[in-house]
Amino acid sequence: MAAEIRPYWRNFIGGEWLDSSDGRSIPIVDPGNGKVISRVACGGAVEIDLAVAAARRCFQERRLQSLTPAARGELMFAIAGELETLADEIAELEIHDNGKTRAAGYNEVKLTQRYLRYYGGMADKLEGRQIPLGDNAVDYTIRMPYGVSAQIVPWNGPLPVGARSIACALVTGNTVVLKSPEDSPLSLFVLAEACERAGVPKGAVNIVCGYGPEAGAALVAHKDIDHIVFTGSVATGKSVLRAAAERVIPCVMELGGKSAAIAYADADLDNAARNIARGILHHAGQICSAASRLVAHRSIVGPLVEKLKAEAARRTVGPGAEGCDMGPVISERQLQRIETLCEVGVTEGATLATGGKRLARDGFFLPPTIFTDVRPDMRVAQEEFFGPVLVVIPFDTPEEAIAIANGTDYGLAAGVFTRDLKLALWTADRLVAGQVYVNDWWVGGVETPFGGTRRSGYGREKGQEALLGYVQTKNVGIKL
Ligand code: NAD
């Protein structure tokens, strides 16, 4: 039987579950039918203040730092274990709060557990070094936590995105105030519950839901935070960076993308179509690293687009609760934004090969959409849809393919489809992107570093690299 969705949720601050100080709450809308299914206490500047104070106290009292690294790692394993018993509730929330399919909902739990166990396992492996200075001195380095880490996550994958930042922060001895996304906040409160049950020290993890321009802005401008991890859009990222600059706070920025898959003339077309379709249609395209541009050799555009249309047609579009393959986008606002950009594409002269119009049913559903005859300078080739929309741009030479693929402000992910390994490596070398996939999309995961270049941001999440974003080096020199 499907788990019940609780009607009301509170913020998690200093180990307590608190209502909003002014009594406000945010309605939670199921994107699968447009109905309000729950409410969450709306955090504002007061809640952010309380949460930062709790996190600061926890840090000052060294409640995490006094634990051995191994014990901090054990805490991550314990949270992962608690999530096992909460998996059914989380999967249900992912369907109704977020619009995921049931399989994707359970996958989010597994992925979150993987992050917690991966970073839990690394807790006791992050070491400093000893620097030889001759007979009369001893010198060594320490990896210090920053202090209070302010974390802001978007609505498309709040649980694993939040958990990986929380895990990195806690195993390195930082404490956390996380602003949960107002469009899809609930699974992170279940994570908070798992932290509580696992015995995470009070104040080490604080989760507040509130509106971005209010609670988010209050958090990043707070005088008592030491570090920011932001995942979201470039526009918001810039305002976060402005706030960080005021106090010279280090940031990890995971921003948007317009990632290109280059398909050469010799590509295995079935494999390319399967992976590019998965790359753009998973979670209805609401993934920062979605395969949102196909840059295809002119000789294969026709057959590859036919195969992509067949992939699109194979998918049922509808609510996860009905067992459909592709769910809705998060909100009416987001659906309108995507539809408007689709209209721009038509006006610009691109050909709508399939999709482009919302489904005539309740909820926020756009079917898989493909634009052909797209020129690299069109807005649909430059701007992020953050929806299930693929644009197809033809090329004639490998140099042209590279220029098109690198020809946006972004630089998050990219892909290459070819049977020629030398050409694949030549291409991977020249693509400006944080990660490049060859003959697949999303190779790797928890253990492979992930992040952007250019306007897609900087710093890395996932993999061993991520931990380095949560520590700073202190050098200790001793004169003997
Ligand atoms: P968004 O930037 O609107 O919101 C992201 C978060 O920032 C939300 O929690 C929001 O409440 C908060 N926020 C909004 N205004 C704020 C402000 N003034 N100060 C502080 N916080 C504020 O993004 P979105 O629409 O929720 O998410 C989609 C975007 O996120 C896309 O551009 C997508 O590519 C990007 N994204 C990137 C990654 C990545 O890892 N690179 C992952 C997921 C999503």
Side-chain angles (χ1 to χ4, degrees):
M1 202 180 68
E4 293 266 308
I5 294 191
R6 302 179 220 174
Y8 179 66
W9 300 73
R10 294 181 172 82
N11 290 308
F12 185 64
I13 299 173
E16 312 285 329
W17 294 92
L18 300 183
D19 291 315
S20 171
S21 52
D22 56 11
R24 284 183 303 160
S25 64
I26 300 176
I28 303 296
V29 175
D30 182 341
N33 59 23
K35 296 198 167 69
V36 174
I37 51 160
S38 185
R39 302 192 77 86
V40 59
C42 177
V46 172
E47 285 68 30
I48 292 296
D49 225 24
L50 288 172
V52 173
R56 171 61 56 200
R57 214 163 29 247
C58 181
F59 185 73
Q60 291 296 111
E61 291 174 5
R62 300 179 65 88
R63 290 183 212 157
L64 274 175
Q65 291 175 79
S66 61
L67 298 178
T68 63
R72 294 200 289 263
E74 291 290 343
L75 275 178
M76 300 306 112
F77 301 144
I79 302 169
E82 292 298 336
L83 287 177
E84 200 62 48
T85 62
L86 297 163
D88 290 338
E89 182 175 13
I90 293 173
E92 207 59 27
L93 288 175
E94 294 295 353
I95 291 172
H96 294 287
D97 182 19
N98 195 292
K100 287 195 162 45
T101 63
R102 188 169 297 282
Y106 280 102
N107 274 341
E108 296 281 282
V109 180
K110 292 242 165 307
L111 180 59
T112 301
Q113 290 174 311
R114 278 278 292 128
Y115 279 126
L116 288 160
R117 291 180 176 132
Y118 180 81
Y119 289 113
M122 283 186 67
D124 55 0
K125 295 170 190 69
L126 194 64
E127 296 166 350
R129 62 195 181 104
Q130 187 269 322
I131 299 162
L133 290 179
D135 286 348
N136 297 322
V138 171
D139 193 282
Y140 61 93
T141 63
I142 295 173
R143 308 272 202 187
M144 297 193 286
Y146 282 102
V148 177
S149 175
Q151 309 190 342
I152 296 192
V153 293
W155 43 262
N156 60 330
L159 180 66
V161 171
R164 72 188 183 204
S165 302
I166 289 175
C168 285
L170 297 190
V171 300
T172 48
N174 297 278
T175 58
V176 174
V177 177
L178 185 145
K179 213 267 314 150
S180 190
E182 57 270 48
D183 281 325
S184 172
L186 301 186
S187 55
L188 278 166
F189 287 111
V190 184
L191 178 67
E193 213 164 284
C195 289
E196 188 181 31
R197 291 192 197 177
V200 172
K202 284 185 194 307
V205 174
N206 304 273
I207 298 186
V208 178
C209 179
Y211 294 110
E214 188 188 350
L219 177 57
V220 295
H222 200 286
K223 63 178 179 9
D224 219 13
I225 61 162
D226 304 298
H227 177 245
I228 296 176
V229 182
F230 175 79
T231 307
S233 62
V234 178
T236 310
K238 286 181 185 173
S239 77
V240 169
L241 283 171
R242 279 190 283 271
E246 278 302 313
R247 298 194 47 251
V248 197
I249 295 202
C251 300
V252 177
M253 303 301 287
E254 297 279 8
L255 307 178
K258 188 76 178 176
S259 301
I262 297 177
Y264 285 110
D266 70 339
D268 173 339
L269 295 191
D270 288 322
N271 178 60
R274 198 169 47 249
N275 282 296
I276 293 165
R278 188 171 56 84
I280 185 62
L281 300 181
H282 179 65
H283 197 21
Q286 301 165 104
I287 306 276
C288 51
S289 52
S292 51
R293 288 184 298 152
L294 166 58
V295 181
H297 191 265
R298 201 174 296 280
S299 66
I300 58 165
V301 167
L304 186 48
V305 168
E306 283 313 308
K307 286 181 190 295
L308 283 161
K309 281 165 68 177
E311 285 284 341
R314 239 197 303 282
R315 283 160 169 84
T316 52
V317 181
E322 293 176 15
C324 294
D325 301 321
M326 195 181 96
V329 297
I330 191 71
S331 62
E332 174 62 32
R333 183 174 52 96
Q334 179 66 3
L335 181 53
Q336 278 178 15
R337 209 184 66 77
I338 298 170
E339 282 186 315
T340 304
L341 195 48
C342 285
E343 283 159 21
V344 169
V346 173
T347 312
E348 286 178 312
T351 305
L352 199 47
T354 187
K357 289 263 175 282
R358 68 171 68 201
L359 296 190
R361 61 171 297 166
D362 288 341
F364 316 125
F365 296 97
L366 188 82
T369 298
I370 302 175
F371 277 106
T372 56
D373 304 317
V374 174
R375 287 192 319 272
D377 61 339
M378 289 180 176
R379 276 182 61 193
V380 286
Q382 293 290 328
E383 293 179 24
E384 192 183 30
F385 277 92
F386 218 57
V389 184
L390 178 71
V391 301
V392 184
I393 309 170
F395 72 87
D396 294 301
T397 65
E399 288 75 14
E400 196 190 348
I402 296 287
I404 295 168
N406 289 343
T408 73
D409 283 345
Y410 294 105
L412 189 55
V416 193
F417 290 85
T418 174
R419 289 185 167 91
D420 180 344
L421 185 56
K422 199 168 168 195
L423 180 60
L425 297 180
W426 181 90
T427 306
D429 236 27
R430 286 158 180 75
L431 285 166
V432 182
Q435 38 278 310
V436 177
Y437 312 116
V438 177
N439 292 328
D440 201 334
W441 200 264
W442 293 316
V443 183
V446 170
E447 54 286 270
T448 50
F450 178 89
T453 64
R454 302 200 289 207
R455 244 64 81 223
S456 292
Y458 51 79
R460 293 294 177 262
E461 293 281 17
K462 308 185 184 179
Q464 297 183 24
E465 271 86 347
L467 275 189
L468 300 178
Y470 293 76
V471 287
Q472 51 195 330
T473 298
K474 179 194 281 180
N475 188 80
V476 181
I478 306 167
K479 183 80 179 160
L480 297 178

